[in-house]
Amino acid sequence: MSSIEGQAHNVDEDEMDIKMETDKFGKTIKYMMFRGRHHIPAFVPSILEQIENVSMRPDDIYLCAFPRTGTHWVFEMGNMLLGGKAETIQQFKGKLQLELVDDERLSKLPSPRLVNTHFRLSDAPLAMKEKKCKVIYNLRDPRDVAVSLYHAYIDLKVSECECSFEGFWYLFLEGKVEVDGLFHHWLDAEEFLKKNPDIPVYLNIYEETLKNPLVAVQSLSDFLGLPRNDELCQAIADKCHISHMRKDKDKYSFQVHGENVLYRKGIVGDWKNYFTDQMLDDYYQVYEEKMAGSRFYNLYGRNA
């Protein structure tokens, strides 16, 4: 049984457009399709339908990220900065996630709100663009994202994933994963940024944040337009370490059979424990095909 903050989380699959994807070994994983894209079957379609018309405020922060790129981490850091305290945020991130909460409930939350989503940036509420809300966008090594996403699908149960990691990896490369894949998500964001140069955007690079969390928190504080308080930034960097978040956020998390399944390792390079040489070569080939010419290309290419 799944639960959020101790309350059962059940979604009626009869309302969903369910699709089973089969990997190259004949193993399956279940998705719900929404407007032609893959999603974990854990959302209410009517809530997804209303995302583009969600009301936004000028002081809202819009956190947009492909799953498993550090969304929970940045949500926690950002909210601590906005609150001016290095104290655990006593609510589940999903309470401000557009896929899980409707506009009526969002409207009752106090400002400033750190609204988050795994939808593509071009699918943001129309009001976000109109009011030029500040945007945080996450980036992380696609190989580590794939490993973390695979374990999320396994642990969350609802996708009924039978795949080995190798089988899942090739579905990942084909875009048969959340919101039709990380590469499309990044390229969509790049196009959005070109078309909306007047919207302020902060790129949070997972590996850099992990390498120097204090600098990352300081940079995020500056982006949010907050008075610089280096002592507070250090305290937040420490408080948001994965070892603390795994414990502190336990009762404010998504749980399966009483176990918090969203805070895993929080490290760089775990993919090396999963990849064969062939899988790595195939990654570089697809990455080159998809990302050549992108502003993000040099981050995770063969020579990175």
Side-chain angles (χ1 to χ4, degrees):
M1 184 183 74
S2 301
S3 64
I4 297 175
E5 296 184 352
Q7 297 186 354
H9 177 76
N10 298 309
V11 180
D12 186 359
E13 285 193 3
D14 290 340
E15 300 178 16
M16 302 177 187
D17 177 12
I18 295 295
K19 182 177 183 181
M20 303 298 292
E21 292 288 4
T22 304
D23 70 15
K24 67 177 187 175
F25 302 113
K27 300 299 183 179
T28 60
I29 181 171
K30 181 168 66 178
Y31 293 100
M32 62 173 283
M33 302 301 291
F34 178 74
R35 296 183 179 175
R37 296 180 193 157
H38 298 73
H39 297 271
I40 189 170
F43 304 130
V44 178
S46 60
I47 291 182
L48 302 185
E49 289 282 358
Q50 54 94 57
I51 287 178
E52 64 183 351
N53 295 313
V54 164
S55 302
M56 299 289 288
R57 304 167 189 164
D59 62 349
D60 282 337
I61 312 301
Y62 192 75
L63 171 57
C64 178
F66 189 81
R68 315 311 293 167
T69 58
T71 321
H72 290 264
W73 194 15
V74 177
F75 178 84
E76 202 75 1
M77 289 189 293
N79 274 298
M80 287 185 187
L81 283 167
L82 293 171
K85 298 178 181 179
E87 297 178 357
T88 299
I89 306 307
Q90 297 186 13
Q91 65 178 349
F92 175 51
K93 178 185 73 67
K95 294 294 182 69
L96 284 98
Q97 183 174 342
L98 294 181
E99 295 93 323
L100 293 170
V101 60
D102 60 28
D103 191 31
E104 181 180 359
R105 285 181 288 168
L106 268 178
S107 68
K108 296 176 181 177
L109 299 175
S111 294
R113 303 177 303 181
L114 207 161
V115 178
N116 69 97
T117 183
H118 294 313
F119 266 42
R120 297 180 186 179
L121 198 46
S122 64
D123 294 325
L126 298 175
M128 186 279 277
K129 291 173 274 190
E130 293 169 0
K131 299 186 178 177
K132 296 179 173 49
C133 300
K134 290 181 177 178
V135 172
I136 303 171
Y137 190 81
N138 282 0
L139 297 161
R140 186 186 186 187
D141 189 321
R143 294 162 293 189
D144 278 330
V145 173
V147 170
S148 187
L149 185 61
Y150 172 70
H151 284 285
Y153 282 146
I154 294 291
D155 293 341
L156 290 172
K157 308 296 185 186
V158 291
S159 285
E160 300 175 6
C161 181
E162 300 176 345
C163 307
S164 65
F165 176 72
E166 183 177 356
F168 176 78
W169 170 240
Y170 287 98
L171 293 178
F172 184 92
L173 290 180
E174 294 170 18
K176 295 177 180 178
V177 293
E178 212 67 16
V179 287
D180 282 13
L182 177 145
F183 301 125
H184 289 303
H185 204 284
W186 286 4
L187 294 172
D188 173 87
E190 186 171 18
E191 186 65 20
F192 179 90
L193 299 182
K194 288 178 183 176
K195 292 180 178 179
N196 299 276
D198 52 344
I199 292 180
V201 177
Y202 176 81
L203 296 177
N204 180 74
I205 300 175
Y206 190 98
E207 293 77 18
E208 293 182 4
T209 301
L210 191 63
K211 182 178 180 180
N212 199 330
L214 172 58
V215 171
V217 175
Q218 290 171 328
S219 298
L220 183 56
S221 177
D222 294 344
F223 173 74
L224 296 176
L226 303 171
R228 173 68 76 84
N229 182 332
D230 289 337
E231 185 177 345
L232 173 64
C233 289
Q234 182 65 68
I236 290 174
D238 294 341
K239 186 68 171 172
C240 290
H241 189 275
I242 185 67
S243 62
H244 294 138
M245 287 188 61
R246 190 181 292 116
K247 178 181 64 176
D248 296 341
K249 295 291 289 187
D250 186 63
K251 61 182 177 181
Y252 311 109
S253 66
F254 191 98
Q255 299 190 346
V256 177
H257 301 305
E259 181 181 354
N260 180 351
V261 297
L262 293 176
Y263 299 94
R264 194 171 162 266
K265 290 187 176 181
I267 61 175
V268 170
D270 192 33
W271 64 267
K272 296 174 184 177
N273 297 313
Y274 293 80
F275 277 60
T276 63
D277 290 343
Q278 185 62 57
M279 292 165 68
L280 188 57
D281 285 344
D282 291 338
Y283 162 71
Y284 288 129
Q285 180 179 336
V286 172
Y287 190 83
E288 182 70 33
E289 292 171 357
K290 301 285 188 183
M291 300 303 296
S294 166
R295 64 181 288 184
F296 304 135
Y297 173 79
N298 289 332
L299 286 172
Y300 305 110
R302 190 182 294 270
N303 298 319

